[in-house]
Amino acid sequence: MTMRIGVVTFPGSLDDGDAARAVRLAGAEAVRLWHADPDLHGVDAVVLPGGFSYGDYLRCGAIARFSPAMGSIIDAANGGLPVLGICNGFQILCEAHLLPGALTRNQHLHFRNRDQWLKVESTSTAWTGTFTDGQEILIPVKNGEGCYVADQRTLDELEAEGRVVARYIRGNPNGSQRDIAAITNARGNVVGIMPHPEHAVEALTGPSLDGLGLFASVLAHLAGKSAAVPA
Amino acid sequence: MARVVVDVMLKPEILDPQGQAVANALPRLDVTDVTSVRIGRRIELEFSGDADLDRVREIADKLLANPVIEDFTIHAGEQVKA
């Protein structure tokens, strides 16, 4: 059966179309979810796309976090639903306390957009299972508030529990602490990533096809789970 | 009507790049004795009746500030002429 992956549109989202396209290219059905609708329409996983939900008023993700769709997503994520937050989606996941820490203004105050090398450091999440440990991938980064911060205790905890999913290599585009580009929750089903895997899924428009790996990973994860359930 | 002011500031240990950029620009105005600049946000809430400060605290903690990186202070008692 074709997996159904929801992509939420908030007011101001701008990468929801790309995320839905990436989902389709990976072989799943993309289900468009609306921020004001608390019904998740039975999707098998959810992507919170990048963009500027509510124009980043107040703080990035602060207002989006209280949308009806997020209420349902927070409950479902706590129950194990795979959720991927990309860029602004990562910020929303932090504001929703599904992931620790916060994203702040880039240290140099400049908006950064460029193709960025990352090192995958955890392949035990729902979204990174098809990568190999230490694999280097190239996907675009584009953010003004992508500097990941958390207190030292939280950072140490993330490192000790293997919850740093990816790190920037060959340059840190925003000053993120310990070069962190992506993290996961304790259960491994919720991942926040600042660069944009959905922009690296086609040779025509991206620097690589490395981004497809995240979407392929969640499909493999879901297939493994359904196979494990006795018929 | 009651007005409550909530001041939100980045916690001292969080780098404030905006404040730092301003601090670096001050010498151009021949200001050389400012050692630190921190930039925050002032939010004014007007209530139709009396303000319940416990509720304001909750609003500030949940939405106006992100307690992971920001502190807030609440100033009450400003009367607003209708």
Side-chain angles (χ1 to χ4, degrees):
Chain A
M1 212 179 76
T2 311
M3 295 295 176
R4 302 171 74 243
I5 300 185
V7 178
V8 184
T9 300
F10 298 95
S13 292
L14 59 82
D15 289 325
D16 45 345
D18 299 61
R21 186 169 170 71
V23 163
R24 284 194 297 272
L25 285 170
E29 181 191 344
V31 179
R32 304 300 288 263
L33 302 176
W34 181 238
H35 72 104
D37 180 5
D39 188 348
L40 299 183
H41 299 275
V43 294
D44 301 297
V46 165
V47 177
L48 302 180
F52 297 84
S53 60
Y54 297 88
D56 280 356
Y57 295 130
L58 191 63
R59 275 183 321 279
C60 304
I63 297 174
R65 170 250 180 281
F66 288 102
S67 64
M70 277 310 295
S72 310
I73 290 167
I74 291 168
D75 289 343
N78 285 327
L81 184 81
V83 178
L84 175 69
I86 302 167
C87 199
N88 186 220
F90 187 2
Q91 294 160 339
I92 295 170
L93 289 175
C94 286
E95 285 286 340
H97 306 301
L98 284 172
L99 293 174
L103 284 310
T104 60
R105 277 294 278 283
N106 292 352
Q107 228 173 69
H108 43 63
L109 287 172
H110 298 292
F111 191 95
R112 272 285 181 275
N113 61 315
R114 68 183 192 201
D115 297 335
Q116 173 71 46
W117 284 99
L118 308 178
K119 188 174 189 182
V120 179
E121 301 218 339
S122 169
T123 55
S124 54
T125 80
W127 297 91
T128 52
T130 60
F131 292 103
T132 52
D133 273 321
Q135 186 175 341
E136 296 185 0
I137 62 174
L138 180 66
I139 63 178
V141 65
K142 48 169 185 141
N143 63 64
E145 303 200 22
C147 177
Y148 182 75
V149 299
D151 57 34
Q152 293 305 314
R153 197 179 50 82
T154 304
L155 292 170
D156 290 341
E157 209 175 280
L158 286 171
E159 306 260 12
E161 295 173 5
R163 290 167 52 198
V164 175
V165 174
R167 248 183 263 265
Y168 299 113
I169 51 171
R170 293 167 221 170
N172 177 335
N174 45 37
S176 287
Q177 285 179 308
R178 304 192 192 181
D179 299 330
I180 288 174
I183 57 169
T184 186
N185 62 347
R187 197 169 175 164
N189 61 311
V190 179
V191 169
I193 183 165
M194 192 40 60
H196 289 261
E198 81 282 17
H199 294 331
V201 294
E202 278 177 309
L204 179 66
T205 54
S208 75
L209 303 185
D210 292 342
L212 270 180
L214 283 100
F215 302 95
S217 292
V218 78
L219 294 182
H221 169 83
L222 290 167
K225 253 176 65 177
S226 62
V229 177
Chain B
M1 287 213 323
R3 173 183 289 173
V4 179
V5 174
V6 180
D7 281 318
V8 181
M9 292 296 295
L10 277 174
K11 287 183 174 178
E13 65 270 24
I14 303 287
L15 175 76
D16 175 11
Q18 202 182 350
Q20 237 171 28
V22 171
N24 293 340
L26 284 176
R28 286 179 228 155
L29 305 179
D30 293 325
V31 177
T32 53
D33 53 349
V34 171
T35 54
S36 164
V37 179
R38 308 281 293 172
I39 296 176
R41 186 189 298 119
R42 172 188 165 107
I43 298 160
E44 299 182 355
L45 305 175
E46 281 182 17
F47 289 84
S48 52
D50 289 339
D52 176 347
L53 287 187
D54 285 336
R55 260 175 72 222
V56 172
R57 209 162 288 121
E58 197 188 325
I59 293 168
D61 189 59
K62 265 191 167 166
L63 180 63
L64 304 181
N66 177 351
V68 174
I69 49 170
E70 294 169 329
D71 294 325
F72 62 85
T73 51
I74 293 170
H75 312 275
E78 290 193 29
Q79 290 304 313
V80 186
K81 287 198 181 101

